[in-house]
């Protein structure tokens, strides 16, 4: 079975994203690194050993990538939205067997890439552009060795629920079931695509991140 690996917050810059998370939760994310060739870099906030929050932004130190940046960061509508404040853009699902998932999905699964940074290595597959139902169908990741979440400081916040809304809710459910993610998040019909993440703090506080 696949499961939630991490949620993704987009920002115009990493500084803006880190400031937003610090103001909202009262904890600072830690440095991540560059996604070489993808034109992005990130910061990370541990949500326990099995999940984390990724802050992603365009990396001004890299040349323009050959392919559009992940999570529609190059899309004019996304850029306009992020001018107001950082927003939840998507999520990434973890699978123990990328090959079997990709064999089942075929071209719908995207292209598998081998990636590495420091001691971490993983395989990553992104759905074809514009076939991800507004980022509600997640990229798939298969960690080789320890996962990133095991290397992060614990913020003592936990992701308690992830929800998705979409006008074509049945099509979204089928796509998630194809990836073994039917139980990963609650899907319901809504007038506009939307992802909602619920976070619970050790002090009992509740916070919500949304994509719209």
């Amino acid at each position: 079975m696949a499961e939630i690996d991490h949620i993704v917050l987009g920002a115009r810059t990493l500084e803006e994203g880190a400031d937003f998370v610090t103001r909202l939760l009262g904890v600072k994310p830690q440095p991540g690194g560059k996604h070489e060739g993808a034109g992005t870099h990130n910061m990370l906030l541990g949500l326990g050993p099995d999940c984390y929050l990724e802050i992603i932004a365009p990396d001004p130190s890299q040349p323009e990538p050959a392919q559009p940046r992940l999570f529609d960061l190059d899309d004019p509508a996304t850029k306009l939205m992020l001018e107001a404040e950082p927003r939840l853009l998507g999520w990434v699902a973890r699978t123990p067997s990328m090959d079997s998932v990709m064999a089942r999905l075929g071209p719908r699964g995207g292209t598998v890439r081998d990636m590495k940074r420091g001691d971490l290595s993983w395989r990553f597959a992104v759905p074809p552009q514009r076939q991800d139902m507004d980022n509600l169908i997640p990229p798939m990741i298969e960690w080789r060795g320890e996962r990133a979440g095991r290397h992060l400081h614990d913020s003592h916040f936990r992701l308690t629920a992830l929800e998705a809304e979409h006008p074509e809710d049945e099509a979204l459910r089928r796509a998630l079931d194809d990836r073994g993610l039917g139980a990963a998040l609650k899907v319901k019909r809504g007038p506009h695509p939307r992802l909602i993440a619920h976070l619970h703090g050790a002090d009992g506080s509740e916070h919500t991140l949304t994509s719209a």
Side-chain angles (χ1 to χ4, degrees):
M1 288 291 292
E3 57 190 343
I4 299 168
D5 188 74
H6 62 276
I7 56 177
V8 180
L9 184 87
R12 292 192 304 177
T13 69
L14 280 188
E15 293 77 15
E16 285 188 7
D19 288 346
F20 175 84
V21 169
T22 302
R23 290 195 309 271
L24 179 69
L25 303 179
V27 289
K28 294 182 178 181
Q30 65 190 79
K34 297 175 179 289
H35 303 121
E36 296 290 352
T40 55
H41 55 174
N42 66 9
M43 296 184 74
L44 309 169
L45 185 76
L47 304 175
D50 296 317
C51 189
Y52 61 96
L53 168 66
E54 176 184 19
I55 303 166
I56 191 169
D59 182 0
S61 71
Q62 293 188 52
E64 286 295 309
Q67 302 294 327
R69 290 176 175 87
L70 290 177
F71 303 106
D72 296 330
L73 281 172
D74 294 325
D75 184 82
T78 301
K79 289 183 176 181
L80 183 62
M81 179 178 67
L82 296 181
E83 285 183 7
E85 66 177 6
R87 304 289 295 191
L88 187 67
L89 292 186
W91 62 298
V92 175
R94 180 171 63 244
T95 177
S97 180
M98 181 74 79
D99 289 338
S100 62
V101 173
M102 292 299 112
R104 185 168 65 250
L105 295 176
R108 292 177 296 132
T111 301
V112 179
R113 293 182 289 169
D114 291 312
M115 304 184 73
K116 182 177 177 64
R117 185 170 67 227
D119 294 332
L120 298 174
S121 62
W122 64 96
R123 303 173 75 201
F124 199 67
V126 181
Q129 186 76 1
R130 301 304 181 191
Q131 294 183 32
D132 55 13
M133 298 189 76
D134 297 275
N135 288 321
L136 296 179
I137 299 174
M140 304 294 292
I141 192 169
E142 179 185 22
W143 292 100
R144 290 179 163 175
E146 278 207 310
R147 305 192 291 265
R150 301 290 174 93
H151 293 257
L152 299 176
H153 304 307
D154 191 352
S155 69
H156 301 291
F157 281 89
R158 296 293 182 267
L159 177 68
T160 55
L162 191 63
E163 304 172 7
E165 297 176 359
H166 198 280
E168 300 178 44
D169 56 318
E170 288 300 329
L172 177 57
R173 286 191 186 93
R174 289 194 297 271
L176 294 174
D177 285 342
D178 281 346
R179 291 159 172 80
L181 292 165
L185 73 169
K186 180 180 179 181
V187 176
K188 61 182 179 180
R189 185 183 297 270
H192 307 290
R194 189 162 75 120
L195 185 67
I196 308 108
H198 298 277
L199 301 176
H200 178 82
D203 60 357
S205 60
E206 302 284 347
H207 301 274
T208 301
L209 296 170
T210 68
S211 61

